[in-house]
Every structure is written in structure tokens, then in C-alpha cells.
Amino acid sequence: THPGEANPQSVYGDFLSVNKQYPEARDQYRISLNLDKKNLRAWQQLLILESELKHFNTMEEESEEALGLFPDQSFLYLFNGIAKIQNKKYEDAAKTLVSGSKLVVDNDQEQIDFYSNLGDVYDKLKKFEDSDKYYQKALNIDGSNVYVLNNWAYYLSLRNEQLEKAAEMSKRSNEISPNNGNF
């Protein structure tokens, strides 16, 4: 009943998202943002859906637009960095993730997400010392993070380095998350 207002479009996007109608929800968030670009929550929901749909090219473009409006929001850097990793823009991803990681305040999970993605991207860049540093930073926050334990163990094994440590971390990730085929 209010097609010219941003909030009803965003709320409709929420309903569609809850019902796992992701493409339709994404469209509603876009309509909402075309009416009001300053709706930070709509940007966040849009980027979550782009990630869920694995539309990393548009996720990168939209997160860059959102960063232009909200340069102090760490989660926008995270989405942008993840999109750049998926688009194989590793150097750009590393710069974005480092910048965003400095903006995180009182959010351990978000900080772990930045550090683990930095560990991944620096491994892709063959900057192994930096990769190890960021994985360790993530584990310093949460030593039971299965994603970090598994990925760091995997990359160490590929490099044929610190194999005892890799075996320990791999074993621990499997103890924490048994029967996970990824681990």
C-alpha cells in the first residue's frame, strides 16, 4: 500500500527472506535502497542475501556503494573483502580487510571473521608469515573456532610446514565438529 516508501519495501524483504525467497527479498531491499540509500540495515540484509546467493560481483559493487555512504561500518569492509576474495582480487581484498579490521569494536566474532579471511587471503598471496599471524590472532580470540583450526591446518599441510601443529589443529576441529565432511 506504500510503494513510494522505503521501510515497507524493506519489511517485505524481511518476510521474503524469512521464507527463503532470497532473489525476491533481494529485489525488495534494492527497491527500498533506491528510495532511501541511508538505510544501513537494508544494505546489510542485501549483502547477506548476495552472499547467500553467491552473487559476488554484485556483492562487491553494492558493498562499495554502501562503503561510500557508511565508511565507518566495519561489516561493510568484511562483505567487500569476502566478495573480492571470491572474485580473486586478493591484494585488494587484503587491503580492504585490514582497513575494516581496525574499525571493529567489542565484537569478537566479527574480528575473528576478519582475521580468518585475512589468513585465507594471505595464503592465496603466498604471504605465509602474514597468513599464520592472522590465523593465530583469530585463535587468540577463540581457540575453538573450527573454521580457523581446519583452514590453518589445511594450508600448513599443503605447505608441508609445522605438520605436528597442523595435525593437532585438524584433530581438534574434528573433535569439536565430528562427522563434518569438510574437516
Side-chain angles (χ1 to χ4, degrees):
T1 60
H2 302 281
E5 295 179 26
N7 283 340
Q9 307 309 317
S10 185
V11 170
Y12 185 38
D14 294 343
F15 283 111
L16 291 167
S17 185
V18 166
N19 289 316
K20 299 191 184 321
Q21 295 175 283
Y22 299 139
E24 296 85 356
R26 179 197 54 207
D27 294 344
Q28 290 305 310
Y29 291 122
R30 285 180 177 160
I31 290 169
S32 175
L33 288 166
N34 282 332
L35 295 167
D36 177 12
K37 297 256 188 233
K38 293 290 188 178
N39 185 340
L40 182 60
R41 191 186 154 290
W43 282 110
Q44 183 175 22
Q45 293 304 112
L46 175 63
L47 295 171
I48 289 169
L49 290 173
E50 293 293 15
S51 178
E52 190 71 31
L53 293 166
K54 299 185 183 335
H55 292 169
F56 297 111
N57 287 331
T58 51
M59 183 174 149
E60 182 180 350
E61 292 169 15
E62 289 165 341
S63 61
E64 285 176 8
E65 183 178 354
L67 277 168
L69 298 166
F70 304 99
D72 61 340
Q73 296 297 312
S74 58
F75 76 88
L76 296 173
Y77 290 84
L78 184 60
F79 279 109
N80 188 258
I82 290 169
K84 286 177 178 177
I85 290 171
Q86 294 299 317
N87 292 329
K88 298 183 181 354
K89 298 177 181 177
Y90 302 127
E91 288 286 347
D92 289 344
K95 290 175 190 168
T96 298
L97 291 168
V98 166
S99 295
S101 72
K102 295 174 183 174
L103 298 173
V104 177
V105 178
D106 295 330
N107 188 334
D108 285 349
Q109 185 54 57
E110 187 176 57
Q111 196 70 70
I112 290 168
D113 291 343
F114 272 104
Y115 291 159
S116 63
N117 278 287
L118 280 163
D120 292 350
V121 78
Y122 279 125
D123 190 82
K124 297 280 187 205
L125 291 168
K126 300 195 182 321
K127 295 181 178 180
F128 302 128
E129 190 174 310
D130 288 331
S131 176
D132 293 348
K133 175 180 84 173
Y134 281 104
Y135 282 135
Q136 187 60 60
K137 282 182 161 197
L139 289 179
N140 289 345
I141 297 170
D142 178 6
S144 298
N145 185 294
V146 292
Y147 174 82
V148 175
L149 289 166
N150 179 69
N151 278 21
W152 194 9
Y154 174 73
Y155 288 128
L156 285 174
S157 69
L158 288 180
R159 293 175 357 213
N160 202 26
E161 293 179 4
Q162 303 179 52
L163 295 178
E164 284 183 33
K165 181 176 187 165
E168 244 178 66
M169 289 189 296
S170 180
K171 180 181 177 195
R172 181 136 165 76
S173 68
N174 279 288
E175 289 170 352
I176 295 168
S177 183
N179 303 316
N180 184 327
N182 292 323
F183 300 163

